[in-house]
Amino acid sequence: RPFHVTYEDTLVQARTVVIATGVQHKTLGLESEKRLWSKGVSACATCDGAFFKGKEVAVVGGGDSAMEEANFLTRFASGVTVVHRRKDLRASKIMQERTRNNPKIAWQLNKVIEEIVGNSKVEGLRLKDTQTGQASHLKVDGLFLAIGHAPNSALFKPWITTDKEGFIVADENTRTNIPGVFACGDVVDHTFRQAITAAGTG
């Protein structure tokens, strides 16, 4: 102490530092994904699901988050298709059963998204079969990404302890390995990643 934090050309000295840099949604890395972001491409069904009332949407992913998103979207969408690159899902058994028993949910397994089709809005997906290489087209009005999160912790890794996934390790009182440096919110949260829990730890 004091800690020195540099922001652009400004140096700030502080006795305490709170890291609350959050996470980034993992993306497919497609140019069309960037171009159509918020024009049918989203990473938050809770935020944007209501915009797709009566429309067809897809969810990409195979974990619990993807199953949760797919089930939630059936409240609004006329149909939801889950796209996953493998035949087997990573989701827990109960989440898989809940999703498979939902009559509004269809499946595109062993498929990867090669392109999001559309100019000013999402109009469909170009898929490729991971087993045969065969191309196909899926007509949808929206795509929800549920392929994981990447914590914004790279800046602190030389000093702050992180786990194998990059989340900052903090104790129940939000303390990190350096006395006087605390971390809160999604950058330490593997489980909930919700505004209310982030605010609570803050």
Side-chain angles (χ1 to χ4, degrees), residues 150-154 157 161-169 187 190:
N152 295 317
S153 61
K157 281 186 177 179
T161 301
T162 61
D163 65 15
K164 62 181 181 180
E165 295 178 359
F167 287 90
I168 290 176
V169 176
V187 75
H190 293 259

Side-chain angles (χ1 to χ4, degrees), residues 18-23 174 183-189 192-202:
V18 179
I19 299 171
T21 47
V23 297
T174 71
C184 64
D186 287 358
V187 75
V188 301
D189 182 8
F192 301 108
R193 293 188 298 273
Q194 295 293 319
I196 191 168
T197 50
T201 56

Side-chain angles (χ1 to χ4, degrees), residues 37 111 117:
W37 192 264
K111 299 288 196 309
V117 180

Side-chain angles (χ1 to χ4, degrees), residues 77-147:
S78 57
V80 178
T81 301
V82 175
V83 180
H84 185 49
R85 61 188 173 183
R86 291 186 291 269
K87 180 181 179 181
D88 297 322
L89 303 171
R90 292 178 289 107
S92 61
K93 184 178 179 181
I94 190 168
M95 288 300 292
Q96 289 191 47
E97 289 177 352
R98 187 179 301 168
T99 309
R100 290 187 184 278
N101 290 332
N102 191 321
K104 293 180 73 176
I105 296 177
W107 301 86
Q108 288 280 355
L109 302 178
N110 288 330
K111 299 288 196 309
V112 292
I113 299 173
E114 290 212 305
E115 188 71 19
I116 303 168
V117 180
N119 293 318
S120 59
K121 63 179 183 178
V122 173
E123 297 174 0
L125 305 174
R126 193 169 76 237
L127 306 177
K128 184 177 80 170
D129 192 296
T130 57
Q131 302 293 309
T132 66
Q134 183 177 355
S136 60
H137 180 83
L138 178 66
K139 190 179 186 310
V140 292
D141 302 294
L143 172 65
F144 288 82
L145 307 177
I147 52 178

